[in-house]
Amino acid sequence: MNTFAQRLKEARKRAGLSQEALGRNAGLDEMSASTRMNRYELGKRMPDPELVERIAVVLNLPAAYFYAVSDDEAELLIKFHRLSSEGRAKVMSFLGQLG
């Protein structure tokens, strides 16, 4: 299973959504939503970048999360995405001090 497929499936399950519900909430036609999401999760197809963005919005994740190779990087992306703008500024300031 490729990275995108694995992260998509994990995120959908964490959100407690069925493949059909995620697909419909991301704007897919309800007649094909489940089938299309299933193919994405199996790694048989790749959604276009616009659909990835819509899926990310539904799941409250950054689109980059789906492409992160390491689990640490993926978790960091989630945490940064969910920070307030003040929290993000603090993280960026801290990182600037590290080098």
Side-chain angles (χ1 to χ4, degrees), residues 3-4 6 8 26 28 31 35 52 58 64 67 71 83 93 97 99:
T3 300
F4 180 88
Q6 178 182 343
L8 176 61
L28 297 178
M31 295 300 290
T35 301
V52 174
V58 172
Y67 304 103
D71 291 339
L83 286 173
S93 175
Q97 294 172 10

Side-chain angles (χ1 to χ4, degrees), residues 4-98:
F4 180 88
Q6 178 182 343
R7 296 222 184 277
L8 176 61
K9 185 173 186 175
E10 290 171 1
R12 178 187 58 78
K13 286 184 172 186
R14 246 191 335 259
L17 294 172
S18 67
Q19 290 175 335
E20 181 181 3
L22 177 56
R24 280 187 291 119
N25 291 341
L28 297 178
D29 178 76
E30 62 183 78
M31 295 300 290
S32 64
S34 181
T35 301
R36 286 181 62 185
M37 294 308 297
N38 182 262
R39 288 182 180 153
Y40 300 147
E41 287 186 9
L42 292 174
K44 293 183 179 188
R45 308 273 282 165
M46 266 308 274
D48 62 55
E50 182 183 315
L51 180 55
V52 174
E53 286 288 338
R54 294 194 320 254
I55 291 169
V57 168
V58 172
L59 296 173
N60 189 27
L61 295 169
Y65 163 81
F66 297 105
Y67 304 103
V69 176
S70 77
D71 291 339
D72 287 345
E73 181 182 359
E75 191 63 30
L76 183 61
L77 286 164
I78 292 172
K79 289 180 179 188
F80 186 80
H81 176 77
R82 294 182 177 164
L83 286 173
S84 66
S85 57
E86 181 180 310
R88 287 180 181 200
K90 287 180 181 179
V91 168
M92 295 306 293
S93 175
F94 176 73
L95 291 173
Q97 294 172 10
L98 291 178

